[in-house]
Amino acid sequence: METENELSYFQQVSIFDGLTDDELHDLTTVSRRRTFRSGEVIFHRDDPGQVMYIIKEGKVKICLISPEGQEISLVVFGKGDYFGEFALVDGLARSADAIALERVECYTLQRSDFHKAIMKNPKIAIRVMEVLCERLRKTDQQVEDLIFLDVYGRVAKKLLELSDTHGKKVEDGIRIDVRLTQQELASMVGASRESVNKVLGYFTDKHYISTDKHRITLHRAVDLERRIY
């Protein structure tokens, strides 16, 4: 029964589009279940990259941490997302840290098993390249935002992005289903916590958003869009 559940889940993961049930079964038989506590480091930057992770439950942030301890969050992944695949392809060390934002359940694939899957179905390699291009474009966009948008615009844009990827409809808007501190949000937009606190206070006064226990709900997304530029 467990194997059938894993097979059903792997069928929903975009990187495995095009694989037959037999090929997916081969992957599920070599995959391993892992759990991580909230706040636990899954891997550090410069660690050897031998494992790919596929999230079953929970949220994971990918971030860079300077020697002085300053953090820049790059992206938050959730259920159905995968990470760590680039190190499996190029054989280099991890390029960032991965940290569990909450309790995380995931499947792991070793590098050798991932390579076998690519050899059997090159579509996986094409999908990896597509994802790499997509993430590079997002990086370019982040750099552009830092140059051309003020803090209000960057926070508004990030809240809208998070609502698209991790939002849940509620009675009075869309709640971002990620527990975010002001410091974490500040690291995502390249600003100080004090600046982000001021922006969130402004958006709250305008009734664009509301906050509760580190959860942000968007009430007037259109007004946030207008505030970007």
Side-chain angles (χ1 to χ4, degrees):
M1 181 61 70
E2 183 63 28
T3 301
E4 292 179 3
N5 290 338
E6 291 178 353
L7 178 62
S8 176
Y9 188 73
F10 272 49
Q11 288 172 336
Q12 303 172 45
V13 178
S14 61
I15 198 172
F16 299 136
D17 284 347
L19 269 66
T20 66
D21 286 350
D22 287 341
E23 290 168 335
L24 285 173
H25 182 267
D26 290 342
L27 287 177
T28 60
T29 56
V30 296
S31 68
R32 296 291 180 267
R33 292 280 293 273
R34 290 286 308 275
T35 60
F36 298 92
R37 302 182 307 276
S38 177
E40 185 173 357
V41 176
I42 299 172
F43 56 72
H44 287 288
R45 182 179 185 179
D46 294 328
D47 281 351
Q50 297 298 321
V51 179
M52 169 184 171
Y53 299 82
I54 304 163
I55 301 174
K56 186 174 185 292
E57 296 292 344
K59 302 284 193 305
V60 174
K61 69 176 177 180
I62 307 299
C63 59
L64 298 172
I65 301 177
S66 72
E68 294 77 25
Q70 184 178 1
E71 178 184 305
I72 299 177
S73 293
L74 303 177
V75 66
V76 175
F77 290 127
K79 182 176 180 178
D81 290 327
Y82 49 90
F83 60 97
E85 73 280 6
F86 296 146
L88 299 194
V89 174
D90 62 19
L92 300 178
R94 301 294 189 189
S95 58
D97 291 10
I99 302 173
L101 283 174
E102 56 194 42
R103 184 179 184 276
V104 170
E105 290 184 39
C106 60
Y107 296 106
T108 64
L109 286 173
Q110 293 291 328
R111 187 180 188 211
S112 58
D113 296 318
F114 186 68
H115 282 190
K116 288 177 184 176
I118 290 178
M119 295 299 291
K120 285 185 177 181
N121 195 321
K123 288 182 179 179
I124 297 179
I126 294 174
R127 179 56 184 154
V128 169
M129 288 189 288
E130 290 173 346
V131 170
L132 176 58
C133 291
E134 179 183 345
R135 293 180 184 172
L136 285 173
R137 290 179 187 276
K138 286 183 178 179
T139 301
D140 290 343
Q141 186 63 58
Q142 287 177 324
V143 173
E144 184 177 330
D145 291 345
L146 284 171
I147 296 172
F148 295 112
L149 299 184
D150 62 10
V151 178
Y152 289 83
R154 299 204 301 271
V155 172
K157 188 171 184 178
K158 180 55 65 175
L159 291 177
L160 289 167
E161 289 175 356
L162 290 170
S163 72
D164 284 340
T165 54
H166 302 288
K168 285 189 175 181
K169 287 187 178 180
V170 293
E171 184 177 351
D172 55 349
I174 300 176
R175 186 184 68 193
I176 298 173
D177 194 30
V178 178
R179 188 179 182 279
L180 287 174
T181 65
Q182 290 183 2
Q183 185 59 57
E184 286 170 334
L185 184 57
S187 74
M188 291 180 180
V189 300
S192 68
R193 187 193 64 79
E194 292 77 13
S195 295
V196 168
N197 177 60
K198 181 179 179 180
V199 172
L200 292 179
Y202 175 82
F203 288 163
T204 300
D205 291 341
K206 290 289 187 179
H207 304 293
Y208 297 171
I209 66 170
S210 63
T211 59
D212 179 44
K213 296 179 180 178
H214 299 300
R215 305 279 182 176
I216 299 175
T217 301
L218 276 58
H219 303 294
R220 293 163 58 181
V222 172
D223 289 311
L224 283 176
E225 289 176 1
R226 290 174 179 151
R227 188 56 191 83
I228 294 175
Y229 296 102

